[in-house]
């Protein structure tokens, strides 16, 4: 009988110690199941830093030499879209409030729009000397009538090409007259630092 009493006291003592430990232990240690916030993983109370996704970066624009202009390693020109505009703001000009816009598409084609000819976008490849793969465009305009529209294109090889076009109030730019209005065409600006 003494053995049974001693065994009962020992079981009671061990149970008391286990119970006291369970009550005093932090809940994270006592938690034996999976973390509901992170299925399938057991936590030990320590937080681990979350893995960060790398920041998205714009794809690098390839630089090619003049012989490969318009193509990169046998592939077609691929660029981002770009837009520029210029407006005649001299009220004494017959071109007052005429807006000229230029844009590029993702294949490196450059286009010109004259607000007097709405909806018509002129492919600047019609102008002699235009680069085959255009990354960027810029426009500037003078206030006179006739005035001058300066179109600058950044080619894929990093060179700037500029054309000076004569703009008159009597005829908006169109695919039929752009080559004549911008004669002799685009010329490469020397020593472009790009």
């Amino acid at each position: 009988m003494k053995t049974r009493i001693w065994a009962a006291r020992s079981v009671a003592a061990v149970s008391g110690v286990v119970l006291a430990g369970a009550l005093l232990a932090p809940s994270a240690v006592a938690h034996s199941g999976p973390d509901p916030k992170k299925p399938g993983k057991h936590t030990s109370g320590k937080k681990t830093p979350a893995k960060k996704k790398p920041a998205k970066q714009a794809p690098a624009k390839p630089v090619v030499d003049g012989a490969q202009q318009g193509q990169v390693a046998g592939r077609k020109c691929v660029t981002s879209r770009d837009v520029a505009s210029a407006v005649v703001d001299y009220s004494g000009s017959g071109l007052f409030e005429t807006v000229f816009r230029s844009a590029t598409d993702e294949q490196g084609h450059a286009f010109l729009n004259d607000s007097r000819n709405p909806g018509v976008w002129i492919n600047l490849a019609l102008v002699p000397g235009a680069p085959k793969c255009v990354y960027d465009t810029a426009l500037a305009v003078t206030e006179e009538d006739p005035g001058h529209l300066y179109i600058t294109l950044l080619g894929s090889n990093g060179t700037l090409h500029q054309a000076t076009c004569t703009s008159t109030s009597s005829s908006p730019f169109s695919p039929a007259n752009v080559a004549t209005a911008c004669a002799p065409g685009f010329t490469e600006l020397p020593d472009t630092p790009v």
Side-chain angles (χ1 to χ4, degrees):
M1 176 109 176
K2 287 184 178 181
T3 308
R4 287 184 194 167
I5 295 174
W6 183 80
R9 283 186 204 166
S10 297
V11 170
V14 170
S15 299
V17 170
V18 171
L19 181 60
L23 293 174
L24 295 175
S27 61
V29 174
H31 181 20
S32 63
D35 186 354
K37 294 179 185 174
K38 295 182 183 177
K41 292 193 177 187
H42 178 72
T43 59
S44 63
K46 294 182 181 179
K47 292 187 177 180
T48 56
K51 292 183 182 179
K52 294 181 181 178
K53 292 182 181 178
K56 290 184 179 179
Q57 296 178 351
K61 293 182 180 177
V63 178
V64 294
D65 62 21
Q68 293 177 323
Q69 185 174 356
Q71 292 189 350
V72 180
R75 293 178 295 167
K76 292 190 176 191
C77 172
V78 178
T79 67
S80 61
R81 296 178 186 169
D82 180 63
V83 66
S85 63
V87 64
V88 178
D89 63 357
Y90 174 57
S91 62
S93 171
L95 293 165
F96 180 60
E97 293 186 339
T98 300
V99 180
F100 299 103
R101 297 174 186 92
S102 63
T104 61
D105 63 12
E106 292 176 337
Q107 290 80 38
H109 304 113
F111 300 92
L112 175 69
N113 171 258
D114 184 331
S115 65
R116 300 169 297 165
N117 203 354
V120 176
W121 287 87
I122 306 159
N123 188 341
L124 288 173
L126 295 171
V127 179
K132 303 270 188 252
C133 183
V134 178
Y135 279 173
D136 202 357
T137 65
L139 297 175
V141 65
T142 60
E143 306 292 328
E144 298 88 18
D145 184 5
H148 296 292
L149 173 65
Y150 296 93
I151 305 170
T152 306
L153 304 177
L154 175 62
S156 63
N157 62 355
T159 60
L160 293 173
H161 301 262
Q162 186 174 18
T164 304
C165 309
T166 303
S167 57
T168 64
S169 59
S170 60
S171 59
F173 291 114
S174 70
N177 69 9
V178 73
T180 304
C182 299
F186 285 96
T187 57
E188 188 176 316
L189 297 176
D191 303 322
T192 304
V194 181

